[in-house]
Amino acid sequence: MTSEITLFVNPTAGRGRGAHAAQPAASALRAAGFSVRTVVGENAEDALTRACAAVAEGTGALIAVGGDGMANLALQAVAGTRTPLGLVAVGTGNDFARALGLPVRDPAAAGRVIAEALKTERLRDVDLGRVGGRWFGTVLASGFDSRVNDRGNRMRWPVGRIKYDLAMLAELAAFKPVPYRITLDDGEAREIEATLVAVGNGSSYGGGMRICAGAELDDGLFDVTVVGNCGRTTLLKVFPKVYRGTHLDHPKVTAYRAARVELAADGVTGYADGEPLGPLPLTAECVRGAVRVAIA
């Protein structure tokens, strides 16, 4: 592997932590003998173009500095190639980095771990989800949680996770279960009313909410969590259990496993890795070994 690697930086991640994290991460990588070039785009589209160019030119690795959004953008550049991906996780959620056992909000430590992984080829091929031409690493969310995302993204204040906590309270006041049509692999379509449906390549979203607690990154299958038709009181009881993954024991929650998932519902946006995919219907495929990642 070439010793020249690329640092892919989101300066706005984690309320500015991305910009501050780039220097200690780069220092750790350079101390390990790597030549580091930095890519910072004018916007997401420009940044992705630059990252794709670095991969095409043969960079030894692409190291994303930011949160899950930046990790997701980096996946679009490296998925389906043999270029290793490293994550310096300094965003709000950092769920993909957590799933890989990488340091969170410690850029110098992350830089050292990634450098050692690259030097010793401590790399792992993991699965990704794919919707159309877009890849994701953690969870495709739809229903109540995606509406919280919709509302939170429209809010200018406050910033950080508290914004989404407030958005959740606002959505609880108005939310009603949604009629879904769900098809798993080649099975029959299921017509159900659900509060949310989550398709997990990884186990968590939102900074540690283990919505698909049993999901593994290298088994070639999604874990699909369906929270059925339940009222606000039940949802308030179930939702805190998501952090421990014990919500899966609730009678209103059903879990499935599948390599291909079709979701259809009116008025629902799909989000993957916290990024909007667009309105349902959407079809997600689990692609085995789609990306090579540096691990601890």
Side-chain angles (χ1 to χ4, degrees):
M1 178 176 57
T2 176
S3 63
E4 182 181 309
I5 60 178
T6 302
L7 211 61
F8 188 38
V9 182
N10 179 3
T12 65
R15 287 174 283 177
R17 283 193 295 268
H20 295 295
Q23 185 172 348
S27 295
L29 291 160
R30 290 189 177 108
F34 290 96
S35 172
V36 181
R37 59 177 288 202
T38 300
V39 167
V40 182
E42 296 179 5
N43 50 45
E45 183 179 356
D46 179 55
L48 179 57
T49 297
R50 293 169 185 258
C52 288
V55 171
E57 291 163 8
T59 187
L62 186 68
I63 315 299
V65 183
D68 282 329
M70 197 61 175
N72 180 270
L73 197 61
L75 288 176
Q76 313 314 311
V78 297
T81 76
R82 303 307 290 164
T83 302
L85 173 67
L87 299 178
V88 178
V90 292
T92 303
N94 307 311
D95 288 281
F96 199 30
R98 293 176 200 274
L100 297 172
L102 295 171
V104 171
R105 295 186 187 144
D106 188 341
R112 290 192 295 270
V113 167
I114 292 166
E116 183 65 18
L118 294 175
K119 290 176 72 174
T120 62
E121 295 194 358
R122 193 169 65 240
L123 305 170
R124 178 183 175 193
D125 291 334
V126 301
D127 307 336
L128 294 177
R130 182 172 61 195
V131 177
R134 187 142 190 104
W135 302 90
F136 68 93
T138 56
V139 177
L140 189 168
S142 72
F144 175 73
D145 43 7
S146 66
R147 289 188 174 179
V148 169
N149 253 324
D150 283 340
R151 183 180 288 270
N153 290 343
R154 294 194 301 267
M155 295 167 62
R156 296 181 178 272
W157 183 91
V159 295
R161 280 189 59 179
I162 191 171
K163 174 169 68 173
Y164 293 95
D165 292 339
L166 293 175
M168 183 177 72
L169 292 174
E171 283 299 322
L172 272 172
F175 186 79
K176 295 180 179 179
V178 175
Y180 272 87
R181 182 180 177 89
I182 303 173
T183 307
L184 305 177
D185 293 327
D186 296 322
E188 294 289 327
R190 293 173 168 87
E191 303 275 357
I192 62 172
E193 286 208 341
T195 301
L196 66 86
V197 179
V199 180
N201 181 55
S203 62
S204 71
Y205 61 4
M209 292 189 289
R210 301 181 67 232
I211 187 69
C212 299
E216 300 286 345
L217 288 173
D218 57 1
D219 62 357
L221 295 170
F222 293 125
D223 278 38
V224 183
T225 300
V226 178
V227 179
N229 185 346
C230 61
R232 288 189 291 272
T233 301
T234 300
L235 188 57
L236 282 169
K237 289 179 180 178
V238 172
F239 217 75
K241 296 181 179 182
V242 172
Y243 287 96
R244 300 186 303 276
T246 55
H247 64 293
L248 295 175
D249 298 328
H250 194 279
K252 288 289 187 181
V253 179
T254 308
Y256 305 94
R257 308 188 83 212
R260 186 173 185 272
V261 181
E262 298 178 37
L263 298 178
D266 291 336
V268 176
T269 302
Y271 281 78
D273 296 340
E275 301 297 306
L277 289 174
L280 272 55
L282 295 171
T283 299
E285 299 174 273
C286 186
V287 180
R288 193 184 277 272
V291 66
R292 175 162 285 188
V293 293
I295 59 173

